[in-house]
Amino acid sequence: MSEQIRIGIVGFGNLGRGTVEAIKKSADMELIAIFTRRAPESLKIDEPNVEVVHISNVEDYQDKIDVMILCGGSATDLPEQGPELAKLFNTIDSYDTHAKIPEYFSSVDAVAKESGKVSIISVGWDPGLFSINRLMAEAIIPQGENYTFWGKGLSQGHSDAVRRVDGVKDGVQYTIPADAAIEKVRSGVNPELTTAEKHRRVCYIVAEEGADKAKIENEIKTMPNYFADYDTEVNFITEEVLKAEHSAAPHGGFVIRGGETGADQNKQIIEFSLKLDSNPEFTASVLVAYARAAYRMYNEGQAGAKTVFDVPPIYLSPRSAEDLRRDLL
Amino acid sequence: MSEQIRIGIVGFGNLGRGTVEAIKKSADMELIAIFTRRAPESLKIDEPNVEVVHISNVEDYQDKIDVMILCGGSATDLPEQGPELAKLFNTIDSYDTHAKIPEYFSSVDAVAKESGKVSIISVGWDPGLFSINRLMAEAIIPQGENYTFWGKGLSQGHSDAVRRVDGVKDGVQYTIPADAAIEKVRSGVNPELTTAEKHRRVCYIVAEEGADKAKIENEIKTMPNYFADYDTEVNFITEEVLKAEHSAAPHGGFVIRGGETGADQNKQIIEFSLKLDSNPEFTASVLVAYARAAYRMYNEGQAGAKTVFDVPPIYLSPRSAEDLRRDLL
C-alpha cells in the first residue's frame, strides 16, 4: 500500500456518519479529523484515531488533509462552506438544489481556481450517478427521451410537510414510482409524463389523541405542490409501528432512456437503477469514491470546480489501470 | 454550429452500416469516407456525399479525417488495423476479445504515443458501457459482488456452432438470462453463480430434409463448451419462420452489483441494463459518441491508447458544459 489519502469530514449528521463508515471500507484512505460547529466533546464518535475539531480551527489542518468531504445541507451550509473551504482544501460536496447548481458552481469555481484546488460539487446519486446516466444515454442515443423516477424512498421534504399538518403527531412519506408509468417507458413508446403521473405518495401518520383523522387525510391530500396533483394514500398507524417499521432511510430510483437508431427506427432502451437500504450511507460511498478522484485530479495539476461529468471513471477506483483493463473491461 | 468533426469508417459490415446511421444523427459530425478492402464500386452505399475508397489509399486522407472508426472484427481485422491506423489517425474500435485486451492495448498504445494520436479501444457495450458500470459500482461499494448477464440476445458464435451440426440447414441461438438467477442477485444475497447458471440457451433450427431431428438435438445439447453445461432448448422451425422471426439482431443484458455499507451491513443494489432491438446499431452509436471524445482528448494534447475508463462523460456530449450542468446534472 502506497501512502494513504488523508480525509477530513465537515458536519456530522447522517451523511457525515455514513462517510466515516465508507472511509473504513477504503484501504487507500485515512480519516484524519471531523469538523463541527458544535462543541467537539459533545459528539459521540467511537473512532480513537480521529480528531474531533471545532470548525473555527479548520485552517490549522491545511497541510494535514488532502481532501475535505463536506457533509452539510444544501439550503444554508454548503452555499457558505463550499466556497470558504475551497480556499484551503480539495473538496467534495453533495449540493443538490438543482435550480441553483450553475450559481453554486460559479462561486466555488472562482475560489478553487484561485487556490489551485479541485472541488467536485453535486456528488451523490441525483445529482451524481443519475446525472452521468442521463448525459451518457442522451449522447449515445440522441433521438430519444430521458425519464427519471425516484423511489421507493423516504422523502425528507414531504415528511416534514405532513408533520406540519394540524393533529399530526409524527409521520413519514414515501415517494413510489408508478408501475404503469415505468412499464410504459420500458416498452419504448416514449410517453409524455408529468412528475405526478410518474409517482405516487404514501404517508404513514401518527395522529394526536382525539384528532379528526378524516380532516388530516383531506388536508394532506389537498396540500398544493406537495400532494394535490398526486395519487396520495394516507395510512394511520401507532407510534410503535412508526418507530419499528419506518425508521430506516431507504431510497432509490431509475433513469431510463428510450430511443431509436437507424433508418428502421430500432428501439433501444438504456436503464440505470438503484435500490438502497440506506440513502445516506450510499451517498457517502459515492462521495468517498469521488474524493479519490479529486485527489488524483489535483495531483495532475487540475484546479477549479468540477462535477461528476468531468471525472474519468478510472479515477474512482483504487486499482491500477492495468488491473482494471484486465479484470473489468 | 462550429466546424464539424470529420469521420472516416473502415469496414462496411453491420457495424459499419450502423455507424453511417449514427453519424447522421450527430449534427456535429460529418462522414467523409468509407474505406474497404473490397472493390469500392462494389459497395452499395446510398450516401452521395461520402467517398468510398480502397483501404490501400488511406494515407491520402490523413489531413481530411479527424477520427477513424474501425468497424472490423476482433479476430483478424483489428489486431492488424488498430496499430496500423493509429500511426495516421485518432481511432475508435470495438475490440472485444476480453482475454487479449492487455496485449492489444499495448500494441496500439506504443504506436499512438509515437504518432501523437488518441486511440480509444474496446468501445461498445461489453466491453464498454458494462465495463464502466462494473468499475464504478465496485469503486463505490467496495464490499460486494458484480454480476453480468447477457441477453436476451442473438449470439453469433453459438449460432455459427449450431449451423455446423450435421443435418442443420440454418439456425440461430439466443442467450437468455435465467430469471431465477437475476431475481436472486437483485435480492442482494450475492449468490455464487457460474455463467451456465446465469443463462440458458434457446436454438431455432431449420433441419435439412430427411435429417434425424433427435440426433441433431442431442448433438447440440451435448456440444462441449458451447451447450453441454447449459439448460439448452432446441426448437425446429421452417426456413420461412426463421427468416420472418429471427432476422433481427436484438441483444442486451444487465450489470448488477449487490453490496453492503455501514456497520449494519445495509444492502445496496446498483443495476445497469440494456434492451436493444439492434445490437450493431447500438454499438455503432457508442462508437460515434466516443469518436467525439477522442477528438477532444486529441485537441487537448493527449496521446496513446485509451479505454472507456479514461474518458470523462462530458466529452461524449456535443452540448456545452454549462448546458449540461443546468439541464442534466
Side-chain angles (χ1 to χ4, degrees):
Chain A
M1 175 61 54
S2 58
E3 81 186 77
Q4 289 182 303
I5 306 173
R6 300 166 304 168
I7 305 286
I9 293 176
V10 177
F12 200 65
N14 287 335
L15 188 58
R17 271 188 285 272
T19 303
V20 173
E21 294 299 325
I23 291 167
K24 284 187 199 168
K25 301 211 195 265
S26 305
D28 62 335
M29 295 190 180
E30 185 188 3
L31 177 58
I32 302 294
I34 297 166
F35 298 88
T36 176
R37 280 176 306 212
R38 291 180 267 171
E41 60 279 10
S42 72
L43 265 64
K44 283 185 191 153
I45 301 178
D46 189 22
E47 306 292 333
N49 298 317
V50 177
E51 292 182 66
V52 182
V53 182
H54 193 267
I55 186 73
S56 59
N57 298 316
V58 73
E59 285 194 31
D60 301 344
Y61 287 77
Q62 222 187 325
D63 298 326
K64 297 177 191 162
I65 284 172
D66 296 312
V67 185
M68 196 69 97
I69 302 182
L70 313 187
C71 296
S74 299
T76 56
D77 300 334
L78 294 174
E80 187 192 307
Q81 292 175 352
E84 200 56 43
L85 291 165
K87 283 181 197 160
L88 304 168
F89 300 97
N90 298 305
T91 65
I92 300 293
D93 70 54
S94 63
Y95 186 81
D96 67 356
T97 309
H98 283 265
K100 293 186 179 169
I101 285 176
E103 186 186 326
Y104 181 67
F105 181 89
S106 297
S107 78
V108 174
D109 191 47
V111 177
K113 282 210 173 107
E114 177 76 25
S115 66
K117 302 290 185 183
V118 169
S119 290
I120 313 182
I121 70 156
S122 299
V123 175
W125 58 273
D126 195 358
L129 305 184
F130 274 21
S131 320
I132 292 173
N133 278 277
R134 287 188 286 258
L135 184 158
M136 290 185 65
E138 178 189 279
I140 291 165
I141 307 291
Q143 180 187 325
E145 286 293 332
N146 281 349
Y147 296 86
T148 301
F149 292 87
W150 296 279
K152 178 190 174 178
L154 190 84
S155 159
Q156 212 52 68
H158 286 77
S159 296
D160 288 346
V162 300
R163 286 192 288 258
R164 283 193 300 263
V165 169
D166 225 38
V168 170
K169 189 173 181 191
D170 205 349
V172 294
Q173 192 265 185
Y174 296 97
T175 305
I176 298 178
D179 286 339
I182 292 188
E183 286 318 310
K184 215 181 240 179
V185 168
R186 279 189 184 144
S187 78
V189 299
N190 289 356
E192 286 206 24
L193 293 169
T194 64
T195 304
E197 287 167 331
K198 287 193 294 180
H199 301 92
R200 51 200 191 86
R201 302 198 173 281
V202 178
C203 308
Y204 293 91
I205 304 294
V206 181
E208 304 270 14
E209 221 178 289
D212 181 344
K213 291 184 179 171
K215 190 164 163 284
I216 291 172
E217 179 167 347
N218 183 58
E219 200 167 323
I220 292 172
K221 287 187 168 176
T222 57
M223 195 186 295
N225 302 321
Y226 285 89
F227 294 101
D229 299 336
Y230 290 81
D231 174 6
T232 301
E233 180 184 314
V234 177
N235 304 284
F236 289 93
I237 59 174
T238 65
E239 211 159 359
E240 291 68 42
V241 170
L242 184 79
K243 202 166 172 183
E245 296 177 14
H246 302 285
S247 294
H251 220 309
F254 307 78
V255 174
I256 307 177
R257 186 175 186 85
E260 290 89 38
T261 59
D264 299 335
Q265 304 289 310
N266 279 305
K267 280 202 172 66
Q268 317 279 17
I269 312 278
I270 307 176
E271 178 170 339
F272 179 77
S273 69
L274 295 172
K275 202 171 79 187
L276 311 174
D277 275 1
S278 168
N279 183 8
E281 283 181 6
F282 185 80
T283 301
S285 301
V286 181
L287 296 181
V288 166
Y290 278 89
R292 185 177 290 122
Y295 178 70
R296 292 171 175 184
M297 292 164 87
Y298 170 74
N299 283 335
E300 265 191 11
Q302 297 197 44
K306 309 284 173 190
T307 74
V308 294
F309 295 158
D310 302 302
V311 178
I314 199 162
Y315 283 176
L316 303 175
S317 173
R319 298 169 67 186
S320 74
E322 292 73 21
D323 283 9
L324 292 168
R325 285 195 294 267
R326 187 194 57 221
D327 296 342
L328 297 181
L329 196 62
Chain B
M1 175 59 53
S2 58
E3 81 187 77
Q4 289 183 304
I5 306 172
R6 302 165 303 168
I7 305 286
I9 293 175
V10 177
F12 201 64
N14 287 334
L15 188 59
R17 271 186 285 271
T19 302
V20 172
E21 294 298 325
I23 292 167
K24 284 187 196 166
K25 302 211 194 266
S26 305
D28 61 336
M29 295 189 179
E30 184 189 4
L31 177 57
I32 303 292
I34 297 166
F35 298 87
T36 177
R37 281 176 306 212
R38 291 178 267 172
E41 60 278 9
S42 73
L43 265 63
K44 283 186 190 150
I45 300 178
D46 190 21
E47 307 292 333
N49 298 317
V50 177
E51 292 183 65
V52 182
V53 182
H54 193 266
I55 186 71
S56 60
N57 298 317
V58 73
E59 287 194 30
D60 301 345
Y61 287 78
Q62 224 188 324
D63 299 326
K64 297 177 190 163
I65 285 172
D66 297 310
V67 185
M68 195 70 96
I69 301 181
L70 314 187
C71 296
S74 300
T76 55
D77 299 335
L78 293 175
E80 186 192 308
Q81 292 175 350
E84 201 56 44
L85 291 165
K87 282 182 199 159
L88 305 168
F89 301 97
N90 298 307
T91 65
I92 301 292
D93 70 54
S94 64
Y95 186 81
D96 67 357
T97 309
H98 284 265
K100 293 188 179 167
I101 284 176
E103 185 186 327
Y104 182 67
F105 181 90
S106 298
S107 78
V108 174
D109 190 47
V111 177
K113 282 209 173 108
E114 177 77 25
S115 66
K117 302 289 185 183
V118 169
S119 290
I120 312 182
I121 71 156
S122 299
V123 175
W125 58 273
D126 197 355
L129 305 184
F130 275 20
S131 320
I132 292 174
N133 278 276
R134 287 188 287 257
L135 184 158
M136 290 185 66
E138 178 190 277
I140 290 165
I141 307 291
Q143 180 187 322
E145 286 294 331
N146 281 349
Y147 296 87
T148 302
F149 293 87
W150 296 279
K152 180 189 175 180
L154 190 83
S155 159
Q156 213 50 69
H158 286 76
S159 295
D160 288 346
V162 301
R163 287 191 289 257
R164 284 192 299 262
V165 169
D166 226 39
V168 171
K169 190 171 180 190
D170 204 349
V172 294
Q173 193 264 190
Y174 296 96
T175 305
I176 299 180
D179 286 337
I182 292 189
E183 286 317 311
K184 216 182 239 180
V185 168
R186 280 190 182 143
S187 77
V189 299
N190 289 354
E192 287 208 23
L193 293 168
T194 63
T195 303
E197 287 167 331
K198 287 193 295 180
H199 301 92
R200 48 197 193 89
R201 302 198 173 282
V202 177
C203 308
Y204 293 90
I205 304 295
V206 180
E208 305 269 13
E209 219 175 292
D212 180 345
K213 290 181 180 174
K215 191 162 161 285
I216 291 173
E217 179 166 347
N218 182 59
E219 199 166 325
I220 291 173
K221 287 185 169 177
T222 58
M223 195 185 295
N225 303 321
Y226 285 89
F227 294 100
D229 299 336
Y230 290 81
D231 173 7
T232 300
E233 179 184 315
V234 177
N235 304 284
F236 289 93
I237 59 174
T238 64
E239 210 158 0
E240 291 68 40
V241 170
L242 185 80
K243 201 165 172 187
E245 297 177 11
H246 302 283
S247 293
H251 219 309
F254 306 78
V255 173
I256 307 178
R257 185 173 185 84
E260 290 89 37
T261 59
D264 298 336
Q265 305 288 312
N266 280 304
K267 282 204 170 69
Q268 316 280 17
I269 311 280
I270 307 175
E271 178 169 337
F272 179 78
S273 69
L274 296 172
K275 202 171 80 188
L276 311 174
D277 275 2
S278 168
N279 183 8
E281 282 181 5
F282 185 80
T283 301
S285 300
V286 181
L287 296 181
V288 166
Y290 277 89
R292 184 177 291 122
Y295 177 69
R296 292 171 175 185
M297 292 165 87
Y298 170 75
N299 283 335
E300 264 190 11
Q302 296 197 46
K306 310 284 174 191
T307 73
V308 293
F309 295 157
D310 302 302
V311 179
I314 200 162
Y315 283 176
L316 302 175
S317 173
R319 297 170 68 187
S320 75
E322 291 73 22
D323 283 8
L324 292 168
R325 283 195 296 267
R326 188 192 58 222
D327 296 342
L328 297 181
L329 194 63

